[in-house]
Amino acid sequence: MRILVVEDEKPLADALTEILKQNRYHVDAVYHGNHGLAYARSGIYDLILLDIMLPGIDGLSILKTLRKEHITTPIIILTAKSEVSDIITGLDAGSDDYLAKPFSTGELLARIRALSRRSAAYNEEILTCGDLSFNKSAMELCCGSDSLKLGLKESQLIELLLNNAGRVMPKNLLIEKIWGPDSDAEYNNIEVYISFLRQKLTFLGTGTQIRTIRGVGYQLEENCEK
């Protein structure tokens, strides 16, 4: 399960990240509202922990924007405000749950487990584009009766491309999503994994291909000529 933490109090965000990783969750943390919205739009997360008071775009605005764009990722609001009116505002804006600060580690993990169970039936495990499909749980890429297992980085990359099929994904954004904003990874890292994926797409004989947008990034598109 992949969780995005959007919290401007860095010590709290880092503590949450460590706790979640110890409980075997994959976690990314960002400390600014604008970054939080960009990450949330990627579609790779199973759950978002979203603070209300953020620099740049505030949490409620992020929440409303995501729901307007039909991004249904479950969201738990983190807020220092515990008044009923604030809770109602968050729930009405589209959040799935809330936690008022300070909260216990046990309560946080219990809320995540409960929300995960509740949303499991709605989480799409199979992503598709044209004749290509990807099973997120099995990390398996398929075309017709043929299939291939992918490594972790390959899986993260194809999932990002499939979730944004038809859109141009800049190289720097792909690096941030897969390696993290503070990583030393360079463009050649992305190019290597794009090459791996292209070899596997060729092996599968799929009509869906990764197109290079020179000087920008990559775009997954269905080849109608196949």
Side-chain angles (χ1 to χ4, degrees):
M1 184 177 187
R2 297 176 190 171
I3 298 177
L4 174 64
V5 175
V6 187
E7 168 61 66
D8 67 324
E9 295 180 33
K10 194 173 186 298
L12 175 57
D14 292 346
L16 287 172
T17 299
E18 185 60 29
I19 289 167
L20 293 171
K21 285 183 176 179
Q22 288 176 0
N23 284 269
R24 300 183 179 180
Y25 294 111
H26 299 285
V27 188
D28 290 325
V30 293
Y31 317 109
H32 194 282
N34 299 65
H35 299 154
L37 179 57
Y39 272 57
R41 277 172 162 161
S42 71
I44 67 170
Y45 298 101
D46 301 297
L47 186 141
I48 299 171
L49 299 179
L50 178 64
D51 188 28
I52 293 296
M53 304 299 291
L54 293 166
I57 305 172
D58 66 86
L60 285 177
S61 295
I62 292 174
L63 179 59
K64 291 175 182 178
T65 299
L66 293 175
R67 296 314 189 220
K68 283 181 181 178
E69 294 177 358
H70 306 291
I71 295 172
T72 58
T73 307
I75 295 174
I76 298 178
I77 285 178
L78 306 178
T79 176
K81 300 178 179 181
S82 58
E83 290 84 357
V84 173
S85 59
D86 295 309
I87 294 169
I88 292 172
T89 299
L91 293 172
D92 284 346
S95 71
D96 299 271
D97 203 348
Y98 72 92
L99 275 172
K101 303 175 187 176
F103 48 82
S104 69
T105 298
E107 182 180 11
L108 170 65
L109 294 174
R111 295 290 185 97
I112 291 173
R113 289 193 299 269
L115 192 53
S116 177
R117 289 193 299 269
R118 195 161 71 227
S119 61
Y122 303 98
N123 286 338
E124 190 173 8
E125 285 297 316
I126 308 296
L127 302 175
T128 62
C129 179
D131 59 358
L132 184 73
S133 65
F134 176 62
N135 186 311
K136 292 163 58 177
S137 296
M139 295 198 300
E140 192 172 56
L141 198 60
C142 306
C143 179
S145 59
D146 295 320
S147 64
L148 285 171
K149 284 279 190 179
L150 302 185
L152 178 59
K153 288 289 190 292
E154 292 173 318
S155 296
Q156 292 173 331
L157 182 53
I158 196 65
E159 186 175 338
L160 272 169
L161 292 172
L162 282 165
N163 275 319
N164 295 277
R167 300 178 186 174
V168 177
M169 298 295 287
K171 289 183 180 180
N172 61 336
L173 182 60
L174 292 172
I175 287 174
E176 284 187 11
K177 303 300 185 189
I178 297 172
W179 279 272
D182 300 321
S183 170
D184 294 328
E186 298 179 351
Y187 286 166
N188 66 312
N189 294 90
I190 282 290
E191 290 163 4
V192 167
Y193 282 98
I194 288 290
S195 176
F196 290 162
L197 284 176
R198 281 175 169 158
Q199 291 173 28
K200 291 176 178 177
L201 294 178
T202 298
F203 175 84
L204 291 171
T206 176
T208 299
Q209 302 296 326
I210 301 171
R211 178 186 174 200
T212 298
I213 309 300
R214 190 172 299 276
V216 182
Y218 302 97
Q219 180 182 29
L220 190 73
E221 60 180 8
E222 182 181 356
N223 184 355
C224 298
E225 296 180 1
K226 180 179 179 293

